[in-house]
């Protein structure tokens, strides 16, 4: 059924736009189009608009987010993949060898890992998250591309057989400093899990743990990619260097994205010979 059959009166569309605009939705017209297209009837539309007006992220209301041109499932209580993270995925794809072993830590919905595997065409993908809701959601996005999702803290749930075999290790770990959580938009701080946002006092606690453990898992020549902020990038680079990774910073101004990339040496002690924090 088309939008015009379901909503023959222009006032139906305009009322949705008005409600969204009154709630502070900057792109009210675009959101109205998406909600109207997703609703099966007037009652469902009214419920969806009400949830959006109450502040729920649009992606939670719709049940999906667009990421690198693909709709990925995003359940309530799950971190919504940001468009800036498409830059990390793009860099990971460039670095991936044929049929790579890919690990996506702090995977949330699993959008990033699934996008990497989809782009390279074939490989082995493992994703992990500590949040049960995220794991359930990620399985809906990762398993259709042939990947596996594990529940646990960072590296803990990964199969031991992956040690020393990972070609591309990606981590969109939380990097918002604890004191700045209150400055986030309400739809993030109120409806996304705190564990997916709070990176500790300086925002880098989880990044440091990811970096410290990378040596066991990366293959020689393998790369670790972590999304961070421009302000935090020097500290992230320092952590990479302490653990024997050759680090570089990649920036995309259009997406306001900063990614630190660390590569394990192909020969010698590499990261396993570096000191711990």
């Amino acid at each position: 059924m088309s939008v015009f059959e379901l909503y023959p009166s222009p006032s139906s569309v305009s009322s949705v736009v008005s409600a969204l605009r009154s709630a502070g939705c900057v792109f009210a017209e675009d959101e109205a189009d998406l909600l109207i297209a997703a609703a099966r009837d007037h009652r469902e539309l009214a419920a969806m608009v009400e949830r959006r007006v109450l502040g729920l992220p649009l992606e939670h209301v719709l049940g999906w987010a667009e990421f690198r041109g693909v709709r990925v499932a995003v359940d309530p209580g799950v971190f919504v993949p940001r468009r800036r993270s498409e830059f990390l995925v793009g860099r990971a794809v460039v670095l991936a060898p044929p049929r790579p072993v890919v690990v996506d830590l702090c995977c949330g919905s699993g959008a990033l890992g699934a996008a990497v595997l989809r782009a390279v065409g074939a490989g082995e993908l493992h994703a992990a998250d500590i949040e049960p809701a995220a794991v359930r959601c990620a399985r809906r996005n990762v398993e259709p591309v042939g990947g596996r999702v594990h529940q646990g803290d960072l590296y803990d749930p990964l199969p031991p057989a992956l040690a020393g075999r990972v070609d591309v290790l990606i981590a969109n770990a939380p990097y918002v400093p604890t004191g700045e959580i209150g400055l986030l938009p309400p739809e993030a701080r109120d409806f996304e899990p705190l564990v997916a946002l709070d990176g500790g006092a300086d925002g880098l606690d989880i990044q440091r743990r990811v970096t410290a453990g990378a040596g066991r898992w990366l293959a020689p020549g393998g790369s670790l990619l972590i999304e961070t902020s421009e302000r935090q990038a020097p500290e992230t680079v320092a952590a990479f260097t302490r653990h024997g990774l050759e680090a570089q910073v990649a920036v995309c101004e259009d997406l306001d994205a900063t990614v630190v990339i660390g590569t394990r040496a192909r020969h010698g002690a590499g990261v396993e010979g570096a000191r711990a924090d």
Side-chain angles (χ1 to χ4, degrees), residues 54-272:
L54 288 174
L56 271 73
L58 176 66
E59 295 82 2
H60 287 171
V61 176
L62 294 171
W64 57 266
E66 184 172 325
F67 190 79
R68 280 181 64 94
V70 175
R71 288 186 178 184
V72 297
V74 181
D75 296 333
V78 175
F79 182 80
V80 177
R82 277 39 169 184
R83 185 162 177 259
R84 70 168 65 94
S85 298
E86 295 180 359
F87 180 61
L88 184 152
V89 170
R91 301 304 301 172
V93 170
V94 169
L95 293 167
R99 302 189 65 86
V101 176
V102 180
V103 168
D104 179 5
L105 293 184
C106 306
C107 71
S109 68
L112 277 65
V116 171
L117 198 63
R118 195 177 293 113
V120 300
E124 182 178 351
L125 170 63
H126 295 264
D129 202 286
I130 197 169
E131 279 284 300
V135 170
R136 289 192 297 270
C137 182
R139 286 181 174 142
R140 296 167 57 198
N141 295 312
V142 169
E143 291 179 352
V145 299
R148 294 174 59 191
V149 183
H150 313 275
Q151 183 177 336
D153 184 29
L154 298 182
Y155 300 102
D156 289 351
L158 296 180
L162 286 177
R165 296 182 51 236
V166 178
D167 299 301
V168 176
L169 173 57
I170 62 176
N172 186 16
Y175 56 92
V176 180
T178 302
E180 297 179 16
I181 295 294
L183 303 178
L184 293 174
E187 60 186 32
R189 68 172 187 261
D190 293 340
F191 296 101
E192 292 183 315
L194 184 62
V195 70
L197 302 171
D198 191 344
D202 65 354
L204 303 178
D205 285 359
I206 310 303
Q207 289 190 12
R208 291 190 186 96
R209 292 181 57 210
V210 170
T211 305
R216 178 187 172 194
W217 302 93
L218 284 175
S223 296
L224 167 64
L225 300 92
I226 291 183
E227 181 176 300
T228 191
S229 71
E230 184 178 3
R231 170 171 56 93
Q232 295 164 313
E235 289 298 322
T236 305
V237 168
F240 277 42
T241 302
R242 283 196 298 272
H243 291 283
L245 295 171
E246 182 179 344
Q248 60 176 304
V249 180
V251 176
C252 177
E253 294 183 0
D254 289 344
L255 294 176
D256 189 27
T258 301
V259 175
V260 178
I261 303 168
T263 303
R264 179 182 175 182
R266 292 187 178 277
H267 306 288
V271 290
E272 292 181 281

